[in-house]
Amino acid sequence: MKQNIYDNPTFFEGYMNLRDSKMTYNDFLEQPAMKDTLPDLKGKRVMDLGCGTGGMSKYCIEMGASAVVGVDISEKMISRALVENKDENITYVCSPIEDLSFQKEPFDLIVSSLAIHYIEDYEFLIRKLHSFLKPGGLLIYSTEHPVVTARKDMKNWWQNAEGDRLHWALDHYREEGKREQHWYVDGVIKYHRTITTLVNGLTDHGFMLEKMLEPLPTKEGIDLIPSLKNEERRPSFLIIRSRKTD
Amino acid sequence: MKQNIYDNPTFFEGYMNLRDSKMTYNDFLEQPAMKDTLPDLKGKRVMDLGCGTGGMSKYCIEMGASAVVGVDISEKMISRALVENKDENITYVCSPIEDLSFQKEPFDLIVSSLAIHYIEDYEFLIRKLHSFLKPGGLLIYSTEHPVVTARKDMKNWWQNAEGDRLHWALDHYREEGKREQHWYVDGVIKYHRTITTLVNGLTDHGFMLEKMLEPLPTKEGIDLIPSLKNEERRPSFLIIRSRKTD
């Protein structure tokens, strides 16, 4: 099943309000770390997988990329991208990642922010992305951290009577697969995978792992969103940079 | 500080009783997975780091290794190794890993079972091991999983009134460094490191990551030690196989 929760009107409204607030974990945690992980983009061809409203696609152009193809399953997201981050060197494509097949010219870089946990078949995805890259090309993705997605019950932290967080809960780590949660609407589906599945899926299919990051928030972020301090206690995201070797 | 807890008489007695029972997590979880991860050993020169009583050193000889150097900080362990797993092609060396400096002939493989979490300076260790390996040589180690070592309080699981385990506790993940626990004696010290520190310490210092494993127990193990079922819920160990590239 290819989930297109972003075209659900209730979800879309909730998500866009959050995003427009510029007060999200993406703004102060995931996006700064992803940007730090990018290579020199001058003259590079980039694919932005799960591009949403096109912020990362536009950023790559600003950093010198010669062409970006932004891909998203959601028509609502692509419509917004065409308004907010239109650029003559960006082509936005509305398609499930799984169905992509064009790629006349292979890419130097595929970047993907918090999208792969929506994809059911990771190995199929990695094989496909491998075929889209030039030899030596980079794949850089962020995903919800496996320690976050593991537990089936979404109650993930414990507190005492004073409201202090005592610890986070971990469980069901090896039970990979669907996790359903309420996020603006019921039934948002993510796929939990272990760290070893994420890593070996790359090293077994023609990628060399270059770096892993469990990002920490920016100082500005902690001032604005105090809960970001908790990233010291349990990481929300995992970023993996890998390179096509054969 | 180089910890030598294994020479503490109380610790040694407790540990040896456990080990001699052949009813440990090592027997049914960590050791089978480590052995599965080994390459063809025929004619290979192997270093066994934190060799304890020499079980893995002997196994490598049985699998065809031409020579093994077993290293352990504990005199008591090395004495036992010389009784239990003596072999004309195994040299046992009693030394802290940090102080090793001989290596006239470099190794094809360094293997290390559940020892590196006792070492304070991981980067120094990796640089040293890199210098001990031939080009293309393998480093395979197991360590306590970062999700296990992270929380400072050693109470790591929660249960309900009926005694069912509800979840495991995770906390302090980014606070790397000393963790003190009671294991036969007070003050056993391990060092917590994040997954990204473990991985980047390799990829930043001339190793290519080939595989990561979060081992599951053998069927026999689950029959004998029912608590091993919990490995499905939270992994105890992490195994990393990496190759020297330059």
mmCIF file of all heavy atoms in Angstrom, chain A residues 46-85:
data_model
loop_
_atom_site.group_PDB
_atom_site.id
_atom_site.type_symbol
_atom_site.label_atom_id
_atom_site.label_comp_id
_atom_site.label_asym_id
_atom_site.label_seq_id
_atom_site.Cartn_x
_atom_site.Cartn_y
_atom_site.Cartn_z
ATOM 1 N N VAL A 46 20.424 16.543 -8.582
ATOM 2 C CA VAL A 46 19.917 16.063 -7.295
ATOM 3 C C VAL A 46 18.487 15.557 -7.431
ATOM 4 O O VAL A 46 17.674 16.164 -8.134
ATOM 5 C CB VAL A 46 19.942 17.215 -6.242
ATOM 6 C CG1 VAL A 46 19.379 16.738 -4.902
ATOM 7 C CG2 VAL A 46 21.352 17.772 -6.082
ATOM 8 N N MET A 47 18.189 14.451 -6.751
ATOM 9 C CA MET A 47 16.799 14.043 -6.577
ATOM 10 C C MET A 47 16.429 14.240 -5.107
ATOM 11 O O MET A 47 17.182 13.852 -4.215
ATOM 12 C CB MET A 47 16.596 12.574 -6.954
ATOM 13 C CG MET A 47 15.173 12.090 -6.670
ATOM 14 S SD MET A 47 14.933 10.327 -7.047
ATOM 15 C CE MET A 47 14.422 10.437 -8.747
ATOM 16 N N ASP A 48 15.273 14.880 -4.891
ATOM 17 C CA ASP A 48 14.778 15.128 -3.530
ATOM 18 C C ASP A 48 13.531 14.266 -3.342
ATOM 19 O O ASP A 48 12.468 14.562 -3.882
ATOM 20 C CB ASP A 48 14.461 16.616 -3.370
ATOM 21 C CG ASP A 48 13.923 16.968 -1.993
ATOM 22 O OD1 ASP A 48 13.905 16.093 -1.098
ATOM 23 O OD2 ASP A 48 13.511 18.131 -1.815
ATOM 24 N N LEU A 49 13.693 13.217 -2.592
ATOM 25 C CA LEU A 49 12.667 12.181 -2.483
ATOM 26 C C LEU A 49 11.756 12.463 -1.288
ATOM 27 O O LEU A 49 12.227 12.521 -0.155
ATOM 28 C CB LEU A 49 13.396 10.857 -2.255
ATOM 29 C CG LEU A 49 12.840 9.611 -2.866
ATOM 30 C CD1 LEU A 49 12.739 9.735 -4.369
ATOM 31 C CD2 LEU A 49 13.745 8.441 -2.505
ATOM 32 N N GLY A 50 10.459 12.601 -1.548
ATOM 33 C CA GLY A 50 9.539 13.035 -0.495
ATOM 34 C C GLY A 50 9.753 14.511 -0.237
ATOM 35 O O GLY A 50 9.960 14.938 0.884
ATOM 36 N N CYS A 51 9.722 15.282 -1.332
ATOM 37 C CA CYS A 51 10.164 16.684 -1.274
ATOM 38 C C CYS A 51 9.181 17.589 -0.564
ATOM 39 O O CYS A 51 9.535 18.720 -0.210
ATOM 40 C CB CYS A 51 10.422 17.212 -2.687
ATOM 41 S SG CYS A 51 8.924 17.287 -3.715
ATOM 42 N N GLY A 52 7.934 17.121 -0.356
ATOM 43 C CA GLY A 52 6.954 17.972 0.319
ATOM 44 C C GLY A 52 6.782 19.274 -0.412
ATOM 45 O O GLY A 52 6.596 19.292 -1.635
ATOM 46 N N THR A 53 6.878 20.388 0.302
ATOM 47 C CA THR A 53 6.651 21.690 -0.330
ATOM 48 C C THR A 53 7.924 22.261 -0.965
ATOM 49 O O THR A 53 7.967 23.429 -1.324
ATOM 50 C CB THR A 53 6.087 22.690 0.693
ATOM 51 O OG1 THR A 53 7.014 22.772 1.791
ATOM 52 C CG2 THR A 53 4.741 22.216 1.225
ATOM 53 N N GLY A 54 8.959 21.457 -1.066
ATOM 54 C CA GLY A 54 10.097 21.827 -1.909
ATOM 55 C C GLY A 54 11.203 22.634 -1.249
ATOM 56 O O GLY A 54 12.093 23.138 -1.932
ATOM 57 N N GLY A 55 11.165 22.753 0.057
ATOM 58 C CA GLY A 55 12.192 23.557 0.755
ATOM 59 C C GLY A 55 13.607 23.043 0.521
ATOM 60 O O GLY A 55 14.519 23.826 0.229
ATOM 61 N N MET A 56 13.811 21.752 0.617
ATOM 62 C CA MET A 56 15.147 21.186 0.413
ATOM 63 C C MET A 56 15.553 21.263 -1.058
ATOM 64 O O MET A 56 16.715 21.535 -1.377
ATOM 65 C CB MET A 56 15.188 19.738 0.922
ATOM 66 C CG MET A 56 16.508 19.029 0.712
ATOM 67 S SD MET A 56 17.930 19.809 1.543
ATOM 68 C CE MET A 56 17.862 19.020 3.164
ATOM 69 N N SER A 57 14.588 21.066 -1.958
ATOM 70 C CA SER A 57 14.882 21.169 -3.397
ATOM 71 C C SER A 57 15.414 22.564 -3.700
ATOM 72 O O SER A 57 16.433 22.723 -4.397
ATOM 73 C CB SER A 57 13.609 20.920 -4.219
ATOM 74 O OG SER A 57 13.125 19.614 -4.028
ATOM 75 N N LYS A 58 14.722 23.560 -3.168
ATOM 76 C CA LYS A 58 15.125 24.952 -3.419
ATOM 77 C C LYS A 58 16.498 25.232 -2.789
ATOM 78 O O LYS A 58 17.345 25.903 -3.394
ATOM 79 C CB LYS A 58 14.060 25.897 -2.828
ATOM 80 C CG LYS A 58 14.249 27.364 -3.186
ATOM 81 C CD LYS A 58 14.149 27.600 -4.688
ATOM 82 C CE LYS A 58 14.200 29.091 -5.043
ATOM 83 N NZ LYS A 58 12.915 29.779 -4.780
ATOM 84 N N TYR A 59 16.699 24.699 -1.592
ATOM 85 C CA TYR A 59 17.990 24.887 -0.910
ATOM 86 C C TYR A 59 19.138 24.325 -1.759
ATOM 87 O O TYR A 59 20.209 24.947 -1.865
ATOM 88 C CB TYR A 59 17.960 24.222 0.461
ATOM 89 C CG TYR A 59 19.268 24.314 1.211
ATOM 90 C CD1 TYR A 59 19.620 25.477 1.895
ATOM 91 C CD2 TYR A 59 20.169 23.240 1.234
ATOM 92 C CE1 TYR A 59 20.828 25.573 2.571
ATOM 93 C CE2 TYR A 59 21.375 23.321 1.912
ATOM 94 C CZ TYR A 59 21.698 24.489 2.578
ATOM 95 O OH TYR A 59 22.891 24.584 3.243
ATOM 96 N N CYS A 60 18.911 23.185 -2.374
ATOM 97 C CA CYS A 60 19.969 22.579 -3.206
ATOM 98 C C CYS A 60 20.299 23.479 -4.400
ATOM 99 O O CYS A 60 21.473 23.615 -4.772
ATOM 100 C CB CYS A 60 19.547 21.187 -3.683
ATOM 101 S SG CYS A 60 19.516 19.962 -2.343
ATOM 102 N N ILE A 61 19.282 24.076 -5.002
ATOM 103 C CA ILE A 61 19.526 25.019 -6.101
ATOM 104 C C ILE A 61 20.327 26.220 -5.585
ATOM 105 O O ILE A 61 21.309 26.658 -6.211
ATOM 106 C CB ILE A 61 18.175 25.480 -6.721
ATOM 107 C CG1 ILE A 61 17.496 24.320 -7.460
ATOM 108 C CG2 ILE A 61 18.393 26.691 -7.642
ATOM 109 C CD1 ILE A 61 18.211 23.839 -8.705
ATOM 110 N N GLU A 62 19.940 26.737 -4.431
ATOM 111 C CA GLU A 62 20.655 27.889 -3.852
ATOM 112 C C GLU A 62 22.115 27.548 -3.567
ATOM 113 O O GLU A 62 22.989 28.406 -3.625
ATOM 114 C CB GLU A 62 19.965 28.346 -2.563
ATOM 115 C CG GLU A 62 18.640 29.068 -2.808
ATOM 116 C CD GLU A 62 17.768 29.174 -1.559
ATOM 117 O OE1 GLU A 62 18.193 28.729 -0.468
ATOM 118 O OE2 GLU A 62 16.631 29.699 -1.678
ATOM 119 N N MET A 63 22.388 26.279 -3.267
ATOM 120 C CA MET A 63 23.756 25.830 -2.984
ATOM 121 C C MET A 63 24.513 25.464 -4.263
ATOM 122 O O MET A 63 25.613 24.927 -4.203
ATOM 123 C CB MET A 63 23.746 24.617 -2.044
ATOM 124 C CG MET A 63 23.286 24.904 -0.625
ATOM 125 S SD MET A 63 24.453 25.961 0.299
ATOM 126 C CE MET A 63 23.540 27.499 0.349
ATOM 127 N N GLY A 64 23.875 25.679 -5.412
ATOM 128 C CA GLY A 64 24.614 25.518 -6.656
ATOM 129 C C GLY A 64 24.260 24.310 -7.502
ATOM 130 O O GLY A 64 24.851 24.102 -8.569
ATOM 131 N N ALA A 65 23.312 23.498 -7.054
ATOM 132 C CA ALA A 65 22.920 22.338 -7.870
ATOM 133 C C ALA A 65 22.415 22.814 -9.228
ATOM 134 O O ALA A 65 21.760 23.852 -9.332
ATOM 135 C CB ALA A 65 21.829 21.529 -7.155
ATOM 136 N N SER A 66 22.753 22.043 -10.272
ATOM 137 C CA SER A 66 22.351 22.465 -11.616
ATOM 138 C C SER A 66 20.908 22.078 -11.923
ATOM 139 O O SER A 66 20.226 22.744 -12.699
ATOM 140 C CB SER A 66 23.283 21.848 -12.660
ATOM 141 O OG SER A 66 23.222 20.432 -12.586
ATOM 142 N N ALA A 67 20.445 21.003 -11.309
ATOM 143 C CA ALA A 67 19.079 20.553 -11.551
ATOM 144 C C ALA A 67 18.611 19.713 -10.378
ATOM 145 O O ALA A 67 19.386 18.938 -9.811
ATOM 146 C CB ALA A 67 19.004 19.727 -12.831
ATOM 147 N N VAL A 68 17.350 19.889 -10.009
ATOM 148 C CA VAL A 68 16.752 19.091 -8.940
ATOM 149 C C VAL A 68 15.439 18.507 -9.432
ATOM 150 O O VAL A 68 14.643 19.204 -10.071
ATOM 151 C CB VAL A 68 16.485 19.943 -7.670
ATOM 152 C CG1 VAL A 68 15.765 19.117 -6.599
ATOM 153 C CG2 VAL A 68 17.781 20.515 -7.108
ATOM 154 N N VAL A 69 15.241 17.224 -9.160
ATOM 155 C CA VAL A 69 13.934 16.618 -9.377
ATOM 156 C C VAL A 69 13.337 16.341 -7.999
ATOM 157 O O VAL A 69 13.913 15.574 -7.215
ATOM 158 C CB VAL A 69 14.039 15.307 -10.183
ATOM 159 C CG1 VAL A 69 12.669 14.628 -10.276
ATOM 160 C CG2 VAL A 69 14.601 15.581 -11.570
ATOM 161 N N GLY A 70 12.244 17.023 -7.687
ATOM 162 C CA GLY A 70 11.556 16.826 -6.404
ATOM 163 C C GLY A 70 10.385 15.889 -6.597
ATOM 164 O O GLY A 70 9.567 16.097 -7.487
ATOM 165 N N VAL A 71 10.318 14.855 -5.772
ATOM 166 C CA VAL A 71 9.283 13.830 -5.939
ATOM 167 C C VAL A 71 8.453 13.742 -4.669
ATOM 168 O O VAL A 71 9.007 13.671 -3.565
ATOM 169 C CB VAL A 71 9.927 12.447 -6.198
ATOM 170 C CG1 VAL A 71 8.854 11.377 -6.352
ATOM 171 C CG2 VAL A 71 10.834 12.499 -7.415
ATOM 172 N N ASP A 72 7.141 13.747 -4.818
ATOM 173 C CA ASP A 72 6.274 13.530 -3.655
ATOM 174 C C ASP A 72 4.983 12.865 -4.103
ATOM 175 O O ASP A 72 4.493 13.109 -5.205
ATOM 176 C CB ASP A 72 5.963 14.857 -2.950
ATOM 177 C CG ASP A 72 5.659 14.643 -1.478
ATOM 178 O OD1 ASP A 72 4.530 14.201 -1.164
ATOM 179 O OD2 ASP A 72 6.548 14.882 -0.636
ATOM 180 N N ILE A 73 4.430 12.051 -3.245
ATOM 181 C CA ILE A 73 3.188 11.329 -3.555
ATOM 182 C C ILE A 73 1.973 12.249 -3.479
ATOM 183 O O ILE A 73 0.945 11.982 -4.091
ATOM 184 C CB ILE A 73 3.014 10.124 -2.591
ATOM 185 C CG1 ILE A 73 1.956 9.148 -3.097
ATOM 186 C CG2 ILE A 73 2.714 10.599 -1.172
ATOM 187 C CD1 ILE A 73 1.845 7.871 -2.269
ATOM 188 N N SER A 74 2.110 13.340 -2.736
ATOM 189 C CA SER A 74 0.954 14.170 -2.431
ATOM 190 C C SER A 74 0.776 15.317 -3.414
ATOM 191 O O SER A 74 1.653 16.171 -3.566
ATOM 192 C CB SER A 74 1.102 14.736 -1.007
ATOM 193 O OG SER A 74 0.306 15.888 -0.835
ATOM 194 N N GLU A 75 -0.399 15.358 -4.045
ATOM 195 C CA GLU A 75 -0.707 16.463 -4.975
ATOM 196 C C GLU A 75 -0.751 17.792 -4.241
ATOM 197 O O GLU A 75 -0.319 18.821 -4.768
ATOM 198 C CB GLU A 75 -2.078 16.226 -5.626
ATOM 199 C CG GLU A 75 -2.038 15.222 -6.753
ATOM 200 C CD GLU A 75 -3.423 15.036 -7.369
ATOM 201 O OE1 GLU A 75 -4.197 16.016 -7.441
ATOM 202 O OE2 GLU A 75 -3.732 13.889 -7.760
ATOM 203 N N LYS A 76 -1.262 17.761 -3.017
ATOM 204 C CA LYS A 76 -1.351 19.006 -2.249
ATOM 205 C C LYS A 76 0.046 19.563 -1.958
ATOM 206 O O LYS A 76 0.267 20.771 -2.000
ATOM 207 C CB LYS A 76 -2.097 18.769 -0.928
ATOM 208 C CG LYS A 76 -3.611 18.616 -1.083
ATOM 209 C CD LYS A 76 -4.245 18.367 0.281
ATOM 210 C CE LYS A 76 -5.745 18.118 0.185
ATOM 211 N NZ LYS A 76 -6.491 19.369 -0.120
ATOM 212 N N MET A 77 0.957 18.676 -1.648
ATOM 213 C CA MET A 77 2.321 19.115 -1.357
ATOM 214 C C MET A 77 2.989 19.664 -2.613
ATOM 215 O O MET A 77 3.631 20.718 -2.591
ATOM 216 C CB MET A 77 3.155 17.947 -0.816
ATOM 217 C CG MET A 77 2.827 17.589 0.612
ATOM 218 S SD MET A 77 3.448 18.846 1.756
ATOM 219 C CE MET A 77 2.648 18.304 3.268
ATOM 220 N N ILE A 78 2.829 18.939 -3.708
ATOM 221 C CA ILE A 78 3.446 19.386 -4.967
ATOM 222 C C ILE A 78 2.850 20.736 -5.418
ATOM 223 O O ILE A 78 3.575 21.624 -5.887
ATOM 224 C CB ILE A 78 3.276 18.301 -6.062
ATOM 225 C CG1 ILE A 78 4.114 17.051 -5.705
ATOM 226 C CG2 ILE A 78 3.663 18.847 -7.430
ATOM 227 C CD1 ILE A 78 5.618 17.214 -5.823
ATOM 228 N N SER A 79 1.535 20.902 -5.217
ATOM 229 C CA SER A 79 0.914 22.189 -5.570
ATOM 230 C C SER A 79 1.539 23.323 -4.771
ATOM 231 O O SER A 79 1.829 24.397 -5.312
ATOM 232 C CB SER A 79 -0.594 22.152 -5.280
ATOM 233 O OG SER A 79 -1.202 21.142 -6.025
ATOM 234 N N ARG A 80 1.749 23.080 -3.492
ATOM 235 C CA ARG A 80 2.398 24.092 -2.648
ATOM 236 C C ARG A 80 3.835 24.349 -3.080
ATOM 237 O O ARG A 80 4.296 25.488 -3.093
ATOM 238 C CB ARG A 80 2.414 23.617 -1.180
ATOM 239 C CG ARG A 80 1.125 23.868 -0.463
ATOM 240 C CD ARG A 80 1.035 25.352 -0.076
ATOM 241 N NE ARG A 80 -0.046 25.501 0.873
ATOM 242 C CZ ARG A 80 0.085 26.020 2.090
ATOM 243 N NH1 ARG A 80 1.255 26.475 2.506
ATOM 244 N NH2 ARG A 80 -0.948 26.106 2.888
ATOM 245 N N ALA A 81 4.525 23.285 -3.425
ATOM 246 C CA ALA A 81 5.926 23.430 -3.863
ATOM 247 C C ALA A 81 5.998 24.323 -5.094
ATOM 248 O O ALA A 81 6.881 25.178 -5.209
ATOM 249 C CB ALA A 81 6.531 22.061 -4.160
ATOM 250 N N LEU A 82 5.013 24.149 -5.995
ATOM 251 C CA LEU A 82 5.022 24.925 -7.241
ATOM 252 C C LEU A 82 4.730 26.397 -6.989
ATOM 253 O O LEU A 82 5.033 27.260 -7.813
ATOM 254 C CB LEU A 82 4.010 24.330 -8.227
ATOM 255 C CG LEU A 82 4.466 23.010 -8.862
ATOM 256 C CD1 LEU A 82 3.307 22.309 -9.562
ATOM 257 C CD2 LEU A 82 5.616 23.261 -9.846
ATOM 258 N N VAL A 83 4.133 26.696 -5.834
ATOM 259 C CA VAL A 83 3.906 28.098 -5.458
ATOM 260 C C VAL A 83 5.089 28.620 -4.639
ATOM 261 O O VAL A 83 5.676 29.655 -4.952
ATOM 262 C CB VAL A 83 2.599 28.230 -4.633
ATOM 263 C CG1 VAL A 83 2.442 29.653 -4.107
ATOM 264 C CG2 VAL A 83 1.404 27.811 -5.463
ATOM 265 N N GLU A 84 5.476 27.863 -3.629
ATOM 266 C CA GLU A 84 6.448 28.373 -2.646
ATOM 267 C C GLU A 84 7.902 28.234 -3.098
ATOM 268 O O GLU A 84 8.752 29.024 -2.680
ATOM 269 C CB GLU A 84 6.289 27.623 -1.316
ATOM 270 C CG GLU A 84 4.993 27.910 -0.595
ATOM 271 C CD GLU A 84 4.912 27.194 0.752
ATOM 272 O OE1 GLU A 84 5.964 26.741 1.252
ATOM 273 O OE2 GLU A 84 3.795 27.079 1.276
ATOM 274 N N ASN A 85 8.189 27.201 -3.852
ATOM 275 C CA ASN A 85 9.594 26.931 -4.192
ATOM 276 C C ASN A 85 9.777 26.576 -5.663
ATOM 277 O O ASN A 85 10.513 25.653 -6.011
ATOM 278 C CB ASN A 85 10.131 25.809 -3.287
ATOM 279 C CG ASN A 85 10.288 26.282 -1.851
ATOM 280 O OD1 ASN A 85 11.060 27.197 -1.575
ATOM 281 N ND2 ASN A 85 9.537 25.675 -0.937
#
